[in-house]
Coordinates of all heavy atoms in Angstrom, one line a residue:
K1 N 6.6 -1.2 -43.2 CA 7.8 -0.8 -44.0 C 8.9 -0.4 -43.0 O 8.6 0.1 -41.9 CB 7.4 0.3 -44.9 CG 6.4 -0.2 -46.0 CD 6.1 0.9 -47.0 CE 5.2 0.4 -48.0 NZ 5.1 1.2 -49.2
D2 N 10.1 -0.5 -43.5 CA 11.2 0.0 -42.7 C 11.1 1.5 -42.5 O 10.8 2.2 -43.5 CB 12.5 -0.4 -43.3 CG 12.8 -1.9 -43.3 OD1 12.1 -2.6 -42.5 OD2 13.6 -2.4 -44.1
T3 N 11.5 2.0 -41.4 CA 11.4 3.4 -41.1 C 12.6 3.9 -40.3 O 13.1 3.2 -39.4 CB 10.2 3.8 -40.3 OG1 9.0 3.3 -41.0 CG2 10.1 5.3 -40.1
I4 N 13.2 5.0 -40.6 CA 14.2 5.7 -39.8 C 13.6 7.0 -39.3 O 13.2 7.8 -40.2 CB 15.5 5.9 -40.6 CG1 16.1 4.6 -41.0 CG2 16.5 6.7 -39.8 CD1 17.4 4.7 -41.9
G5 N 13.7 7.2 -38.0 CA 13.2 8.4 -37.5 C 14.3 9.2 -36.8 O 15.0 8.6 -36.0
L6 N 14.4 10.4 -37.1 CA 15.4 11.3 -36.5 C 14.7 12.4 -35.7 O 13.9 13.2 -36.3 CB 16.3 11.9 -37.5 CG 17.2 11.0 -38.4 CD1 17.9 11.7 -39.5 CD2 18.1 10.2 -37.5
L7 N 14.9 12.4 -34.4 CA 14.3 13.4 -33.6 C 15.3 14.2 -32.8 O 16.3 13.6 -32.4 CB 13.3 12.7 -32.6 CG 12.1 12.0 -33.2 CD1 11.4 11.2 -32.1 CD2 11.2 13.0 -33.8
P8 N 15.1 15.4 -32.5 CA 16.1 16.2 -31.7 C 16.0 15.8 -30.3 O 15.1 15.1 -29.8 CB 15.6 17.7 -31.9 CG 14.1 17.5 -32.1 CD 13.9 16.2 -32.9
T9 N 16.9 16.3 -29.5 CA 16.9 16.1 -28.0 C 15.6 16.6 -27.5 O 15.2 17.7 -27.9 CB 18.1 16.8 -27.4 OG1 19.3 16.3 -27.9 CG2 18.1 16.7 -25.9
G10 N 15.0 15.8 -26.7 CA 13.7 16.3 -26.1 C 12.5 16.0 -27.0 O 11.4 16.4 -26.8
G11 N 12.8 15.3 -28.1 CA 11.7 15.0 -29.1 C 10.8 13.8 -28.8 O 10.0 13.5 -29.6
G12 N 11.1 13.1 -27.7 CA 10.2 12.0 -27.3 C 10.8 10.6 -27.7 O 10.0 9.6 -27.7
K13 N 12.0 10.5 -28.1 CA 12.6 9.2 -28.5 C 12.5 8.2 -27.4 O 12.1 7.0 -27.6 CB 14.1 9.4 -28.9 CG 14.2 10.2 -30.1 CD 15.7 10.3 -30.5 CE 16.5 11.1 -29.6 NZ 16.3 12.5 -29.4
S14 N 12.8 8.6 -26.1 CA 12.7 7.6 -25.0 C 11.3 7.0 -24.8 O 11.2 5.8 -24.5 CB 13.2 8.3 -23.7 OG 14.5 8.7 -23.8
L15 N 10.3 7.8 -25.1 CA 9.0 7.3 -25.0 C 8.7 6.2 -25.9 O 7.9 5.2 -25.7 CB 8.0 8.4 -25.2 CG 6.5 8.1 -25.1 CD1 6.2 7.7 -23.6 CD2 5.6 9.3 -25.4
C16 N 9.4 6.2 -27.1 CA 9.2 5.1 -28.1 C 9.6 3.7 -27.6 O 9.1 2.7 -28.0 CB 10.1 5.4 -29.3 SG 9.5 6.9 -30.2
Y17 N 10.5 3.6 -26.6 CA 10.8 2.3 -26.0 C 10.3 2.1 -24.6 O 10.0 1.0 -24.2 CB 12.3 2.0 -26.1 CG 13.2 2.9 -25.3 CD1 13.4 2.8 -23.9 CD2 14.0 3.9 -25.9 CE1 14.2 3.6 -23.2 CE2 14.8 4.7 -25.2 CZ 14.9 4.6 -23.9 OH 15.8 5.4 -23.2
Q18 N 10.1 3.2 -23.9 CA 9.6 3.1 -22.5 C 8.1 2.7 -22.5 O 7.8 1.8 -21.7 CB 9.7 4.4 -21.8 CG 11.1 4.7 -21.4 CD 11.3 6.1 -20.7 OE1 10.3 6.8 -20.5 NE2 12.5 6.4 -20.2
L19 N 7.3 3.2 -23.3 CA 5.9 2.9 -23.3 C 5.6 1.5 -23.7 O 4.9 0.8 -22.9 CB 5.1 3.9 -24.2 CG 3.6 3.8 -24.1 CD1 3.1 4.0 -22.7 CD2 2.9 4.7 -25.1
P20 N 6.2 0.9 -24.8 CA 5.9 -0.5 -25.0 C 6.4 -1.4 -23.9 O 5.8 -2.4 -23.6 CB 6.7 -0.7 -26.3 CG 6.8 0.6 -27.0 CD 6.9 1.6 -25.8
C21 N 7.5 -1.0 -23.3 CA 8.1 -1.9 -22.2 C 7.1 -1.8 -21.0 O 6.9 -2.9 -20.3 CB 9.4 -1.4 -21.7 SG 10.7 -1.7 -22.9
L22 N 6.5 -0.7 -20.7 CA 5.6 -0.6 -19.6 C 4.3 -1.3 -19.9 O 3.6 -1.8 -18.9 CB 5.3 0.9 -19.3 CG 6.5 1.7 -18.7 CD1 6.1 3.2 -18.7 CD2 6.8 1.2 -17.4
L23 N 3.9 -1.4 -21.1 CA 2.6 -2.0 -21.4 C 2.6 -3.5 -21.6 O 1.6 -4.2 -21.7 CB 2.1 -1.4 -22.7 CG 1.7 0.1 -22.7 CD1 1.3 0.6 -24.1 CD2 0.6 0.3 -21.7
Q24 N 3.8 -4.1 -21.6 CA 4.0 -5.5 -21.7 C 4.4 -6.2 -20.4 O 5.4 -5.8 -19.8 CB 5.0 -5.9 -22.8 CG 4.7 -5.4 -24.2 CD 5.7 -5.8 -25.2 OE1 6.4 -6.7 -25.0 NE2 5.8 -5.0 -26.2
P25 N 3.7 -7.2 -20.0 CA 4.0 -7.8 -18.7 C 5.1 -8.8 -18.9 O 5.0 -10.0 -18.9 CB 2.7 -8.5 -18.3 CG 2.1 -8.8 -19.6 CD 2.4 -7.7 -20.5
S26 N 6.3 -8.3 -19.2 CA 7.5 -9.2 -19.4 C 8.8 -8.5 -19.1 O 8.8 -7.3 -18.8 CB 7.4 -9.6 -20.9 OG 7.6 -8.5 -21.7
V27 N 9.9 -9.2 -19.2 CA 11.2 -8.6 -19.1 C 11.5 -8.0 -20.4 O 11.4 -8.6 -21.5 CB 12.2 -9.6 -18.7 CG1 13.6 -9.0 -18.7 CG2 11.9 -10.2 -17.3
N28 N 11.9 -6.7 -20.4 CA 12.3 -6.0 -21.6 C 13.7 -5.5 -21.5 O 14.1 -5.0 -20.5 CB 11.3 -4.8 -21.8 CG 9.9 -5.2 -22.1 OD1 9.6 -5.6 -23.2 ND2 9.1 -5.2 -21.0
F29 N 14.4 -5.6 -22.6 CA 15.8 -5.1 -22.7 C 15.9 -4.0 -23.7 O 15.4 -4.2 -24.8 CB 16.8 -6.2 -23.0 CG 16.9 -7.2 -22.0 CD1 16.2 -8.4 -22.0 CD2 17.8 -7.0 -21.0 CE1 16.3 -9.3 -21.0 CE2 18.0 -8.0 -20.0 CZ 17.2 -9.2 -20.0
V30 N 16.4 -2.9 -23.3 CA 16.6 -1.8 -24.3 C 18.1 -1.5 -24.4 O 18.8 -1.4 -23.4 CB 15.9 -0.5 -23.8 CG1 16.2 0.7 -24.7 CG2 14.4 -0.7 -23.6
V31 N 18.6 -1.5 -25.6 CA 20.0 -1.3 -25.8 C 20.2 0.2 -26.2 O 19.6 0.7 -27.1 CB 20.6 -2.2 -27.0 CG1 22.0 -1.9 -27.2 CG2 20.3 -3.6 -26.6
C32 N 21.1 0.8 -25.4 CA 21.4 2.3 -25.6 C 22.9 2.5 -25.6 O 23.5 2.0 -24.6 CB 20.7 3.1 -24.6 SG 21.0 4.8 -24.7
P33 N 23.5 3.2 -26.5 CA 24.9 3.4 -26.5 C 25.4 4.5 -25.7 O 26.6 4.8 -25.5 CB 25.2 3.6 -28.0 CG 24.0 4.3 -28.5 CD 22.8 3.6 -27.8
I34 N 24.4 5.3 -25.1 CA 24.8 6.5 -24.3 C 24.7 6.2 -22.8 O 23.6 6.1 -22.3 CB 24.0 7.7 -24.8 CG1 24.1 7.9 -26.3 CG2 24.4 8.9 -24.0 CD1 23.0 8.8 -26.8
K35 N 25.8 6.1 -22.1 CA 25.8 5.8 -20.7 C 25.1 6.8 -19.9 O 24.3 6.4 -19.0 CB 27.3 5.7 -20.2 CG 28.0 4.5 -20.7 CD 29.4 4.5 -20.2 CE 30.3 3.5 -20.9 NZ 31.7 3.6 -20.4
S36 N 25.2 8.1 -20.2 CA 24.5 9.1 -19.4 C 23.0 9.0 -19.5 O 22.3 9.3 -18.6 CB 25.0 10.5 -19.7 OG 24.8 10.8 -21.1
L37 N 22.6 8.6 -20.7 CA 21.2 8.5 -21.0 C 20.6 7.3 -20.2 O 19.5 7.4 -19.6 CB 20.9 8.3 -22.4 CG 19.4 8.2 -22.8 CD1 18.6 9.4 -22.4 CD2 19.3 7.9 -24.3
M38 N 21.4 6.2 -20.1 CA 21.0 5.1 -19.3 C 20.7 5.5 -17.8 O 19.7 5.2 -17.2 CB 22.0 4.0 -19.3 CG 22.2 3.3 -20.6 SD 23.5 2.0 -20.3 CE 24.1 1.8 -21.9
D39 N 21.6 6.2 -17.3 CA 21.6 6.7 -15.9 C 20.4 7.6 -15.7 O 19.6 7.4 -14.8 CB 22.9 7.3 -15.5 CG 23.0 7.6 -14.0 OD1 22.6 6.7 -13.2 OD2 23.4 8.7 -13.6
D40 N 20.2 8.6 -16.6 CA 19.1 9.5 -16.5 C 17.8 8.8 -16.6 O 16.9 9.1 -15.8 CB 19.2 10.6 -17.6 CG 20.4 11.6 -17.4 OD1 21.0 11.6 -16.3 OD2 20.7 12.3 -18.3
Q41 N 17.6 8.0 -17.6 CA 16.4 7.3 -17.8 C 16.0 6.4 -16.6 O 14.9 6.3 -16.1 CB 16.4 6.5 -19.0 CG 16.4 7.3 -20.3 CD 15.3 8.3 -20.4 OE1 14.1 7.9 -20.1 NE2 15.5 9.5 -20.8
N42 N 17.0 5.7 -16.0 CA 16.8 4.9 -14.8 C 16.3 5.7 -13.7 O 15.3 5.4 -13.0 CB 18.1 4.1 -14.5 CG 17.9 3.1 -13.4 OD1 17.2 2.1 -13.6 ND2 18.5 3.3 -12.3
D43 N 17.0 6.8 -13.4 CA 16.6 7.7 -12.3 C 15.2 8.3 -12.5 O 14.4 8.3 -11.6 CB 17.6 8.9 -12.2 CG 18.9 8.5 -11.7 OD1 19.1 7.3 -11.2 OD2 19.9 9.3 -11.8
N44 N 14.9 8.7 -13.8 CA 13.5 9.2 -14.0 C 12.4 8.2 -13.9 O 11.4 8.5 -13.3 CB 13.5 9.8 -15.4 CG 14.3 11.1 -15.6 OD1 14.5 11.8 -14.6 ND2 14.8 11.4 -16.8
L45 N 12.7 7.0 -14.3 CA 11.7 5.9 -14.1 C 11.4 5.6 -12.7 O 10.3 5.5 -12.2 CB 12.1 4.7 -14.9 CG 12.0 4.8 -16.4 CD1 12.7 3.6 -17.1 CD2 10.5 4.9 -16.9
Q46 N 12.5 5.6 -11.9 CA 12.4 5.3 -10.5 C 11.6 6.5 -9.7 O 10.9 6.2 -8.8 CB 13.7 5.0 -9.8 CG 14.3 3.7 -10.2 CD 15.6 3.4 -9.6 OE1 16.2 4.2 -8.9 NE2 16.2 2.2 -9.9
K47 N 11.9 7.7 -10.2 CA 11.2 8.9 -9.6 C 9.7 8.8 -9.9 O 8.9 9.3 -9.1 CB 11.8 10.2 -10.1 CG 13.1 10.5 -9.6 CD 13.6 11.8 -10.2 CE 15.1 12.0 -9.7 NZ 15.7 13.2 -10.4
M48 N 9.3 8.2 -11.0 CA 7.9 8.0 -11.3 C 7.3 6.7 -10.7 O 6.2 6.3 -11.1 CB 7.7 8.0 -12.9 CG 8.1 9.3 -13.5 SD 7.7 9.3 -15.3 CE 8.6 7.9 -15.9
L49 N 8.1 6.1 -9.8 CA 7.7 5.0 -9.0 C 7.5 3.7 -9.9 O 6.7 2.8 -9.6 CB 6.4 5.2 -8.2 CG 6.5 6.4 -7.2 CD1 5.2 6.6 -6.5 CD2 7.6 6.2 -6.2
I50 N 8.2 3.7 -11.0 CA 8.3 2.5 -11.8 C 9.4 1.6 -11.3 O 10.6 2.1 -11.2 CB 8.5 2.9 -13.3 CG1 7.3 3.7 -13.8 CG2 8.7 1.6 -14.2 CD1 7.4 4.3 -15.1
T51 N 9.1 0.4 -10.9 CA 10.0 -0.4 -10.2 C 10.6 -1.4 -11.1 O 10.2 -1.6 -12.3 CB 9.3 -1.2 -9.0 OG1 8.3 -2.0 -9.6 CG2 8.8 -0.2 -8.0
N52 N 11.6 -2.1 -10.6 CA 12.3 -3.2 -11.4 C 13.0 -2.7 -12.6 O 12.8 -3.3 -13.7 CB 11.4 -4.4 -11.6 CG 10.9 -5.0 -10.4 OD1 11.7 -5.1 -9.4 ND2 9.7 -5.4 -10.3
V53 N 13.6 -1.5 -12.6 CA 14.4 -1.0 -13.7 C 15.9 -1.0 -13.3 O 16.2 -0.8 -12.2 CB 13.9 0.4 -14.2 CG1 12.5 0.3 -14.7 CG2 14.0 1.4 -13.1
N54 N 16.7 -1.2 -14.3 CA 18.1 -1.1 -14.0 C 18.9 -1.0 -15.4 O 18.2 -1.1 -16.4 CB 18.7 -2.3 -13.2 CG 19.7 -1.8 -12.2 OD1 20.5 -1.0 -12.6 ND2 19.7 -2.4 -11.0
Y55 N 20.2 -0.9 -15.3 CA 21.0 -0.9 -16.5 C 22.3 -1.5 -16.3 O 22.7 -1.6 -15.1 CB 21.1 0.6 -17.1 CG 21.8 1.5 -16.1 CD1 23.2 1.7 -16.2 CD2 21.1 2.2 -15.1 CE1 23.9 2.6 -15.4 CE2 21.8 3.0 -14.2 CZ 23.1 3.2 -14.4 OH 23.8 4.0 -13.5
I56 N 23.0 -1.9 -17.3 CA 24.3 -2.4 -17.3 C 25.2 -1.7 -18.2 O 24.8 -1.5 -19.4 CB 24.3 -3.9 -17.6 CG1 23.5 -4.7 -16.5 CG2 25.7 -4.5 -17.7 CD1 23.3 -6.2 -16.9
N57 N 26.3 -1.2 -17.8 CA 27.3 -0.6 -18.7 C 28.7 -0.9 -18.1 O 28.9 -1.4 -17.1 CB 27.0 0.9 -19.0 CG 27.2 1.8 -17.7 OD1 28.0 1.5 -16.9 ND2 26.4 2.8 -17.7
S58 N 29.7 -0.4 -18.8 CA 31.1 -0.7 -18.5 C 31.6 0.1 -17.2 O 32.6 -0.2 -16.7 CB 32.0 -0.4 -19.6 OG 31.9 1.0 -20.0
N59 N 30.8 1.0 -16.7 CA 31.1 1.7 -15.5 C 30.9 0.9 -14.3 O 31.4 1.3 -13.2 CB 30.4 3.0 -15.4 CG 30.8 4.1 -16.4 OD1 31.8 3.9 -17.1 ND2 30.0 5.1 -16.6
L60 N 30.1 -0.1 -14.4 CA 29.8 -0.9 -13.2 C 30.9 -1.9 -12.9 O 31.6 -2.4 -13.8 CB 28.5 -1.8 -13.4 CG 27.2 -1.0 -13.7 CD1 26.1 -1.9 -14.0 CD2 26.9 -0.2 -12.4
E61 N 31.1 -2.2 -11.6 CA 32.0 -3.2 -11.1 C 31.4 -4.6 -11.5 O 30.2 -4.7 -11.6 CB 32.3 -3.1 -9.6 CG 32.9 -1.7 -9.2 CD 34.4 -1.6 -9.7 OE1 35.0 -2.6 -9.9 OE2 34.8 -0.5 -10.0
A62 N 32.3 -5.6 -11.6 CA 31.8 -6.9 -11.9 C 30.7 -7.4 -10.9 O 29.7 -8.0 -11.4 CB 33.0 -7.9 -12.0
D63 N 30.9 -7.2 -9.6 CA 29.9 -7.7 -8.7 C 28.6 -7.0 -8.8 O 27.5 -7.6 -8.6 CB 30.5 -7.6 -7.2 CG 30.9 -6.2 -6.8 OD1 31.2 -5.4 -7.7 OD2 30.9 -6.0 -5.6
E64 N 28.6 -5.7 -9.1 CA 27.4 -4.9 -9.3 C 26.6 -5.4 -10.5 O 25.4 -5.6 -10.5 CB 27.7 -3.4 -9.6 CG 28.2 -2.7 -8.4 CD 28.6 -1.2 -8.7 OE1 29.5 -1.1 -9.5 OE2 27.9 -0.3 -8.2
R65 N 27.4 -5.7 -11.6 CA 26.8 -6.2 -12.8 C 26.2 -7.6 -12.6 O 25.1 -7.9 -13.0 CB 27.9 -6.3 -13.9 CG 27.3 -6.6 -15.3 CD 28.3 -6.4 -16.4 NE 29.6 -7.1 -16.2 CZ 30.7 -6.5 -15.9 NH1 30.8 -5.2 -15.9 NH2 31.8 -7.3 -15.7
R66 N 26.9 -8.5 -11.9 CA 26.3 -9.8 -11.6 C 25.0 -9.7 -10.8 O 24.1 -10.4 -11.0 CB 27.4 -10.6 -10.9 CG 28.4 -11.3 -11.8 CD 29.2 -12.3 -11.1 NE 30.1 -11.8 -10.0 CZ 31.3 -11.3 -10.3 NH1 31.8 -11.3 -11.5 NH2 32.0 -10.8 -9.3
D67 N 25.0 -8.8 -9.8 CA 23.8 -8.6 -9.0 C 22.6 -8.2 -9.8 O 21.5 -8.7 -9.7 CB 24.0 -7.6 -7.9 CG 24.9 -8.1 -6.7 OD1 25.1 -9.3 -6.6 OD2 25.4 -7.2 -6.0
I68 N 22.8 -7.3 -10.8 CA 21.8 -6.8 -11.7 C 21.3 -7.9 -12.5 O 20.1 -8.2 -12.7 CB 22.3 -5.6 -12.5 CG1 22.5 -4.4 -11.6 CG2 21.3 -5.3 -13.6 CD1 23.2 -3.2 -12.3
E69 N 22.3 -8.7 -13.1 CA 21.9 -9.8 -14.0 C 21.1 -10.9 -13.2 O 20.1 -11.4 -13.7 CB 23.2 -10.5 -14.5 CG 23.9 -9.6 -15.5 CD 25.3 -10.1 -15.9 OE1 25.8 -11.0 -15.3 OE2 25.8 -9.5 -16.9
R70 N 21.5 -11.1 -11.9 CA 20.7 -12.1 -11.1 C 19.3 -11.6 -10.9 O 18.3 -12.4 -10.9 CB 21.4 -12.4 -9.8 CG 22.4 -13.5 -9.9 CD 22.9 -13.9 -8.5 NE 23.8 -12.9 -7.9 CZ 25.1 -12.9 -8.0 NH1 25.7 -13.9 -8.7 NH2 25.9 -12.0 -7.5
N71 N 19.2 -10.3 -10.6 CA 17.8 -9.7 -10.4 C 16.9 -9.8 -11.7 O 15.7 -9.9 -11.6 CB 17.9 -8.3 -9.9 CG 18.4 -8.2 -8.5 OD1 18.2 -9.1 -7.7 ND2 19.0 -7.1 -8.2
F72 N 17.5 -9.8 -12.9 CA 16.8 -10.0 -14.1 C 16.2 -11.4 -14.2 O 15.1 -11.6 -14.7 CB 17.6 -9.7 -15.3 CG 17.7 -8.3 -15.7 CD1 19.0 -7.7 -15.9 CD2 16.6 -7.5 -15.9 CE1 19.1 -6.3 -16.3 CE2 16.7 -6.2 -16.2 CZ 17.9 -5.6 -16.4
E73 N 16.9 -12.3 -13.6 CA 16.4 -13.7 -13.7 C 15.2 -13.9 -12.9 O 14.3 -14.6 -13.1 CB 17.5 -14.7 -13.1 CG 18.7 -14.7 -14.0 CD 19.9 -15.6 -13.3 OE1 19.6 -16.2 -12.3 OE2 20.9 -15.6 -13.9

């Protein structure tokens, strides 16, 4: 059934998409509208030695974005 879950900051929302991505041997894309959250999550995953993570947002220069897109391929 369709579900809407509302959780406060620190309520574990990020785990809802990070865990399934880590458990699947595939390329996963997560869409997030909050730029600072993208940066924080990327940094935290890299600190936990989880490799091959990155993000794309409008703060990136065109050449940076293209490099990230090529790495996804």
Side-chain angles (χ1 to χ4, degrees):
K1 295 186 177 191
D2 294 339
T3 303
I4 294 177
L6 299 175
L7 296 170
T9 299
K13 296 181 294 295
S14 296
L15 183 62
C16 293
Y17 63 80
Q18 287 178 356
L19 187 59
C21 290
L22 291 171
L23 295 176
Q24 296 181 27
S26 61
V27 174
N28 295 277
F29 292 93
V30 177
V31 178
C32 176
I34 305 168
K35 292 180 191 178
S36 61
L37 182 60
M38 290 181 202
D39 191 44
D40 290 346
Q41 293 300 320
N42 188 65
D43 290 346
N44 289 334
L45 289 168
Q46 289 181 356
K47 286 177 187 172
M48 294 188 303
L49 304 178
I50 298 171
T51 59
N52 298 324
V53 296
N54 218 320
Y55 63 94
I56 295 173
N57 66 33
S58 61
N59 290 348
L60 297 174
E61 298 292 329
D63 57 334
E64 292 175 296
R65 189 172 51 250
R66 278 191 294 275
D67 288 342
I68 291 169
E69 290 168 352
R70 273 192 283 270
N71 287 333
F72 275 128
E73 294 174 4

